[in-house]
Amino acid sequence: MSKGTPPGRWLLPSACALLVLALLLPPLPWPRTSFDYLAVFDITQSMGVTDYRLDGRPVSRLDFSRRALSAALTDLPCGSRVGLAAFSGYRSLTLLAPVEVCAHYGDLLATLDQIDDGMRWAEASQVAKGLFWALRAARDIGDSPQLLFFTDGHESPPLDDGTPALFGDIREGQVRGLVVGVGGDVPRPIPKRDASGRANGFWGADEVVQGADPARRSEHLSARRGTHLQALAARTGLDYLGLDDIAGLSAAMRAAPRSQRRELPTDLTWLPLGLALGLLCAAPLRSLLAPAWRRRRR
Amino acid sequence: MTGGIDFLRPELLALLPLAALPLFARSTDARHYPHLGWLPADPAGRLIGLLLRLFAALAIAAVAIALAAPGRAQTVEPRTGRGAELLLLIDRSRSMDERMLPSDWRELSPYDIRHQTLSRGPVKSRAARELLADFVARRPDDRFAVSFFSASTLYVVPFTQHDEVVQAGIAAGGVHRGLSETDVGRALISSVARFEKRAYSGSRIILLVSDGGARLDEDTRLAIRAGFERQRVALYWIYLKGFGRPDLEAAGEASEAIPEVALHRFFQTLPTPYHAYQAQSPEDLAAAVADVGRQQNHPLDFEELIPRRDYSRHFVALALALVAVLVLARRWQLGGAT
C-alpha cells in the first residue's frame, strides 16, 4: 500500500463538489401533492343553531364548520391553495380567490373569522341553488379547485318537488369536491338575529314558510338534512361527508381523490448535503473499521 | 424584536454526533514505515494532524446543522414608512356589471355613444378591479383591507400587508354577477368600525368604489359622521358614472332629490377630508386612482412582517471552506511525503 492512490482519496473532493452544488442549487420545480379548495359556508340563520360542542361549550353549526376548516388548513401540505365564499339567499358569493395556505395561513384565518351571518345579504336559504352557484364559482375562478360546501341542508322555502335539476351550464361531475353536512340529528329551533346581529328569540312555526301540508311540517325546526344533501351530492357529482368531528374533515380533505399533482418550486439541497455528509463520514469510518478488516484478512 | 433561532427539521440534529468520527479515526493516508523509530519526532506535524481532524469534525457538524435548516423565525418589527391604511369598499351590486364609456367616446357622435357604450364599453366592475389591483401592487407600503357591499357588508380581507391576499380579494369580486341590492349607508358604518381597536398610525382612508348614490336617513347620517370623526378616516369616492347618469356637481335645490347628488352633498359635510372622483371612462378611473395615490403619503407607523430567514447556506459555506482546506492539506501532505 505504499505505492499508488490511497483508497478513498476521492471522498473529500467529491464532498467538496457536492457542497458547491448544495450552495448553487436553486429550488427546482418538483411534482408534489397538494389540495386546492374553494370553501363555501352557508351563512343562513339555521347555521346559527348550536348543536355542536367544542371544548365543553355549545357552538353553532357555522362556528364548528369554520373551526373544522381552520384545523384542516394546518394539515394541508404547503403549496395547497384555499379560497373562501359564502352562501345566502339563492347564491354563493366568492370572497377570496384561492391563496397558498402556508404563506397566507394568518390571512385565511382572519377572513374565515369574519364569515358570519352578519354578512347575510338575503333571508331565504335555497341550498340547492346556492350549491349550483358554488359549482359555477369553483369552475370559473381558475386553477379548478375542488368544492367544499358547508351546509345543514335546510331549505327555506322548503322544496316540495324533490331535488331540483342542475343548472344547464354545469355538467354533473365537472367540479369535484365535498358537500359537508353540518348539524345534529335532532330538530332544533332556529335562533333569530336582527340586522345588527343581536340574538332575538327563535323562529316560530307561524313565521316560516311551511310548504305543502303545513299542519304536518315543522320547517321552523332544523336538523342536518343528510338525505337531501346526499341526493344533491349525487346530482352534482360531489361526495358527501357528514361533519361529526373536526379530524374527520381534515382526513376527508386529504384523501387521495382530492389531491392534485403539481410542480412546485422545491428545495432539494438536502440531497447533495446528505450525500456530502455520507462522504465526510466515510473517510474516518473506513479508518476505524480498516484494522478490523485487516485482522480478519490475515 | 428579534426572533430566536429555530430549525425546520430539528430531528436531523441527531446526526451531530457523527462529528466525533474524525476525532477517533486513525489517519488512513499515513504511509506504513517498517520502523517508526527511524522517523524524527514531529510535534508540528502532529499539531497539524490534530487540526485537520478538528476541521473534519467541524465540517460534519456544519453539514448536519445545515440539513436541520436553521433560521431566524418570522418576526414583526415596528417600522415607519410612508403610506396609508386603505380600506377598499367595493360596490358588488348588479349595476356594477354594466358598461362604461369606451376610451374613444370623445370621437363618437352623440348618436352613437349609447349604442357603442352598451356594445363595447368596458364593464365598470372589471375596469375598477383591474385598476385597483394595479394600485395595490404599486403601493407596497400601504396596508389594505377589502370589503364588498350590497345589502350587507361582506368583509373579504382584514388589514394585511400581503399583497397576494388583497389581490385574491379583489379578484374574487370578479366571480359572477353582483347582488341585487345596495345599502351604502350600512356599508360605511360597518367599514368605519373596521378601524376601531387599531392603533392610529398615520392616515386612514376608505376608498369607496361605487356607481350609485342613496338618500340616507338622519340616523344613518349621524352614525356615519360620528364614525368618521372618531376614527379620523378620510373618504374618497370613485363614482363610476354610467352613461346618462347624474353628475355629482349638479347644482340647484332640485338636484338634492337625485340620490348620487344627495350622497355627494352629505359627504361634503363630513368633518374629515373627502374627495369625489367622477369616472366615466377607464381613463377617468385611472386618473382618479392615480390621484388617490398622490394624496396620501403621510408617515405611517406600522409593523412589518419579517419573513423567516434561513441560515442553512451559511453552514454549507462553512462546511465547504473546511473541506476545501482538508483537500488542499491532503494534497500538500501527500505531495510532500513522496
Side-chain angles (χ1 to χ4, degrees):
Chain A
M1 274 204 13
S2 57
K3 288 249 166 70
T5 314
R9 191 176 177 175
W10 51 274
L11 286 175
L12 283 178
S14 311
C16 220
L18 284 167
L19 289 173
V20 172
L21 180 64
L23 268 186
L24 300 180
L25 194 67
L28 295 176
W30 201 254
R32 285 204 323 226
T33 303
S34 60
F35 302 87
D36 293 2
Y37 285 106
L38 178 68
V40 186
F41 290 88
D42 181 343
I43 53 170
T44 60
Q45 303 201 39
S46 59
M47 288 294 281
V49 174
T50 50
D51 49 10
Y52 278 102
R53 291 192 85 78
L54 209 65
D55 310 325
R57 287 214 325 270
V59 294
S60 72
R61 294 170 184 174
L62 181 59
D63 285 342
F64 192 80
S65 309
R66 294 188 306 184
R67 280 285 291 271
L69 182 67
S70 60
L73 287 182
T74 57
D75 297 336
L76 291 179
C78 290
S80 301
R81 302 170 72 82
V82 171
L84 298 169
F87 151 69
S88 154
Y90 65 90
R91 63 170 286 190
S92 300
L93 197 76
T94 310
L95 301 172
L96 191 69
V99 293
E100 203 273 331
V101 291
C102 290
H104 304 303
Y105 178 66
D107 295 283
L108 275 168
L109 283 196
T111 299
L112 188 59
D113 249 10
Q114 302 179 330
I115 300 179
D116 59 25
D117 70 341
M119 283 194 187
R120 206 174 59 235
W121 58 87
E123 293 302 330
S125 171
Q126 304 188 34
V127 178
K129 282 192 187 168
L131 175 63
F132 300 163
W133 269 102
L135 291 170
R136 279 185 178 156
R139 178 195 62 191
D140 296 341
I141 204 165
D143 289 343
S144 19
Q146 296 211 4
L147 187 66
L148 284 178
F149 195 85
F150 295 87
T151 181
D152 52 16
H154 188 99
E155 299 269 2
S156 175
L159 292 174
D160 287 328
D161 309 324
T163 315
L166 204 52
F167 292 160
D169 61 327
I170 315 168
R171 278 178 292 108
E172 176 194 328
Q174 187 179 12
V175 173
R176 309 193 53 201
L178 290 168
V179 173
V180 184
V182 190
D185 298 325
V186 184
R188 302 272 296 266
I190 303 166
K192 256 188 201 174
R193 286 186 188 279
D194 58 20
S196 53
R198 270 187 292 275
N200 187 14
F202 295 92
W203 286 92
D206 51 347
E207 291 174 303
V208 302
V209 186
Q210 294 284 4
D213 197 6
R216 302 182 51 185
R217 300 287 282 266
S218 48
E219 290 296 328
H220 59 297
L221 301 179
S222 169
R224 185 194 301 176
R225 309 264 164 109
T227 347
H228 174 47
L229 292 176
Q230 278 170 24
L232 277 178
R235 168 126 323 161
T236 50
L238 299 171
D239 295 316
Y240 175 78
L241 172 80
L243 185 63
D244 297 313
D245 55 46
I246 280 180
L249 177 70
S250 170
M253 282 174 67
R254 284 176 292 122
R258 318 247 85 91
S259 71
Q260 289 203 342
R261 292 293 277 180
R262 177 193 291 151
E263 295 206 335
L264 293 168
T266 305
D267 180 19
L268 295 173
T269 48
W270 59 270
L271 202 66
L273 279 183
L275 286 173
L277 186 69
L279 294 181
L280 287 176
C281 293
L285 260 182
R286 229 169 41 89
S287 80
L288 278 175
L289 300 176
W293 288 339
R294 223 168 280 141
R295 268 198 301 281
R296 207 169 303 146
R297 226 179 288 151
R298 245 171 226 161
Chain B
M1 205 178 94
T2 50
I5 298 294
D6 65 356
F7 295 89
L8 289 185
R9 295 181 287 257
E11 63 280 1
L12 289 183
L13 287 176
L15 294 172
L16 267 178
L18 288 175
L21 278 175
L23 303 178
F24 293 112
R26 300 146 43 109
S27 175
T28 43
D29 295 314
R31 294 293 188 262
H32 295 268
Y33 291 98
H35 199 299
L36 284 175
W38 291 358
L39 291 174
D42 182 10
R46 286 178 64 128
L47 188 69
I48 288 173
L50 200 68
L51 218 57
L52 291 182
R53 280 159 187 254
L54 202 65
F55 275 27
L58 282 176
I60 290 174
V63 176
I65 292 173
L67 274 169
R72 205 192 59 179
Q74 169 178 297
T75 53
V76 173
E77 279 179 12
R79 207 157 74 85
T80 303
R82 304 194 79 75
E85 283 185 321
L86 269 142
L87 189 149
L88 309 179
L89 182 58
I90 305 171
D91 191 341
R92 193 75 171 86
S93 66
R94 191 107 5 117
S95 57
M96 289 287 284
D97 300 333
E98 292 165 5
R99 295 172 186 273
M100 57 203 307
L101 294 177
S103 316
D104 57 352
W105 66 278
R106 284 186 181 80
E107 289 140 39
L108 300 172
S109 75
Y111 182 74
D112 276 343
I113 278 191
R114 182 175 194 85
H115 172 71
Q116 296 279 341
T117 300
L118 292 178
S119 63
R120 64 180 179 89
V123 173
K124 288 183 210 168
S125 61
R126 181 171 185 172
R129 272 199 319 278
E130 282 168 2
L131 276 161
L132 289 175
D134 187 47
F135 179 70
V136 168
R138 280 189 286 124
R139 297 183 63 87
D141 283 348
D142 290 344
R143 297 289 157 285
F144 285 96
V146 184
S147 295
F148 301 146
F149 72 100
S150 69
S152 60
T153 313
L154 299 138
Y155 305 125
V156 174
V157 181
F159 283 104
T160 179
Q161 62 183 112
H162 285 148
D163 248 31
E164 206 185 309
V165 180
V166 178
Q167 299 288 7
I170 295 174
V175 182
H176 302 145
R177 63 173 197 241
L179 300 166
S180 51
E181 287 158 77
T182 350
D183 186 345
V184 70
R186 193 173 160 192
L188 283 171
I189 294 172
S190 61
S191 296
V192 165
R194 307 295 285 169
F195 289 94
E196 245 164 59
K197 294 182 203 139
R198 288 181 65 78
Y200 185 78
S201 55
S203 62
R204 298 171 157 186
I205 301 158
I206 290 178
L207 184 62
L208 172 66
V209 182
S210 163
D211 66 343
R215 297 185 50 81
L216 306 173
D217 61 46
E218 193 50 36
D219 284 351
T220 310
R221 288 168 175 242
L222 280 175
I224 293 175
R225 187 174 291 127
F228 273 88
E229 182 157 36
R230 194 169 51 239
Q231 303 300 336
R232 290 186 276 173
V233 181
L235 176 65
Y236 292 163
W237 180 16
I238 297 189
Y239 168 56
L240 297 161
K241 186 169 170 294
F243 180 71
R245 300 293 300 166
D247 190 298
L248 293 185
E249 303 295 345
E253 193 69 25
S255 319
E256 185 70 25
I258 304 168
E260 284 78 9
V261 177
L263 189 64
H264 177 56
R265 290 187 184 169
F266 163 62
F267 285 160
Q268 286 174 325
T269 69
L270 286 177
T272 48
Y274 164 66
H275 276 276
Y277 300 94
Q278 304 200 60
Q280 293 202 77
S281 66
E283 284 64 39
D284 295 348
L285 183 58
V289 169
D291 201 49
V292 171
R294 273 192 297 277
Q295 295 278 345
Q296 289 293 338
N297 262 320
H298 298 309
L300 175 72
D301 295 322
F302 58 89
E303 312 236 280
E304 185 171 24
L305 208 60
I306 312 286
R308 181 178 194 278
R309 202 141 54 199
D310 192 85
Y311 291 147
S312 309
R313 278 165 180 273
H314 297 71
F315 286 90
V316 178
L318 173 67
L320 180 60
L322 291 167
V323 176
V325 169
L326 289 179
V327 170
L328 290 177
R330 176 77 34 103
R331 173 157 299 177
W332 174 79
Q333 226 177 16
L334 294 178
T338 24

